Amino acid sequence: MTVKDAREEWRVTGTAMPFRGNKTGVRTDQVVMPDGAVVSRDYQVHPGSVAILALDEDGRVVVLRQYRHPVRQKLWEIPAGLLDVEGENPLHAAQRELYEEAHVKAEDWRVLADIYTSPGGSDEAVRVFLARDLGEAEGERFEVSEEEADMELARVPLGELARGVLAGELHNSCLSVGVLALTAALAGDGLDALRPADAPWPARPFTP
């Protein structure tokens, strides 16, 4: 048996969009089940996101602390952002987000993981990058607003973040996946075995 996710699409007999927001919406599909029954499935329609685990030469990860209203918590996270333009190259989006949120640039980029954040209720797909050979970005700092105006930045050792994830002290999905994936890569075949930054991403096809 090959343990690998596979593309499959069950028949949809009807669809509606009862809510449309600024970036996301909610869709209701009428889906035919294997026994022939038709059931309603509601889910968030999402453009997709990128996240960046930026690792410096001292083995520290660039993290930020930001208020997240739905969970009423300030979470430690890694830089991340939406794919605002359909078909946008995810690497370009990741470079932009790292600049805007951390004012950092990186010379070496790899793919750590491709994930669905909550596939039972959303089609959001996230590509988590590893960024290395860090340097301070040129130009003025991006002007922040709203929740980002209260954002804190820090650099934390990878091992400390991994301990926090396993202890139930850190909860952001991209941070958790990125930290544990990097820890596994370092303990396994090494970072040179990671996929290149322009690796295909079937969940969100893009222009090279």
Side-chain angles (χ1 to χ4, degrees):
M1 181 180 66
T2 301
V3 182
K4 181 180 179 181
D5 296 336
R7 176 75 180 175
E8 183 166 320
E9 189 166 349
W10 292 1
R11 188 162 66 93
V12 174
T13 61
T15 188
M17 186 79 81
F19 171 77
R20 293 179 186 270
N22 185 32
K23 297 293 185 180
T24 69
V26 174
R27 176 173 289 153
T28 299
D29 287 344
Q30 305 299 319
V31 187
V32 180
M33 297 289 107
D35 63 0
V38 178
V39 301
S40 294
R41 289 290 178 261
D42 303 320
Y43 58 98
Q44 180 193 36
V45 178
H46 195 286
S49 307
V50 291
I52 308 96
L53 193 150
L55 185 70
D56 70 14
E57 60 184 8
D58 296 319
R60 300 175 303 172
V61 177
V62 176
V63 292
L64 52 91
R65 191 171 183 235
Q66 186 171 345
Y67 176 67
R68 293 302 187 183
H69 186 70
V71 296
R72 306 317 198 259
Q73 290 193 33
K74 270 193 169 182
L75 300 181
W76 285 104
E77 307 178 351
I78 55 177
L82 296 174
L83 291 168
D84 293 314
V85 180
E86 185 176 353
E88 182 178 14
N89 187 306
L91 175 59
H92 298 165
Q95 291 169 332
R96 179 188 69 234
E97 293 298 334
L98 185 61
Y99 167 77
E100 291 182 355
E101 294 198 344
H103 203 62
V104 168
K105 64 179 181 180
E107 299 299 327
D108 186 89
W109 291 81
R110 307 270 177 156
V111 175
L112 266 179
D114 295 329
I115 62 173
Y116 293 112
T117 55
S118 183
S122 173
D123 70 351
E124 181 184 11
V126 181
R127 169 156 280 188
V128 183
F129 288 94
L130 171 65
R132 293 184 294 166
D133 295 341
L134 306 185
E136 187 173 346
E138 299 173 357
E140 293 186 8
R141 186 74 181 262
F142 181 77
E143 185 176 349
V144 296
S145 61
E146 300 175 351
E147 288 91 344
E148 292 183 352
D150 190 47
M151 195 166 60
E152 305 168 48
L153 283 170
R155 295 195 181 195
V156 180
L158 176 65
E160 185 176 334
L161 294 175
R163 183 207 60 78
V165 171
L166 297 178
E169 298 169 356
L170 299 171
H171 305 91
N172 176 264
S173 60
C174 293
L175 181 146
S176 299
V177 169
V179 164
L180 298 181
L182 178 56
T183 301
L186 289 169
D189 295 332
L191 303 186
D192 288 341
L194 293 172
R195 287 174 291 159
D198 60 354
W201 189 17
R204 292 293 185 274
F206 60 91
T207 302

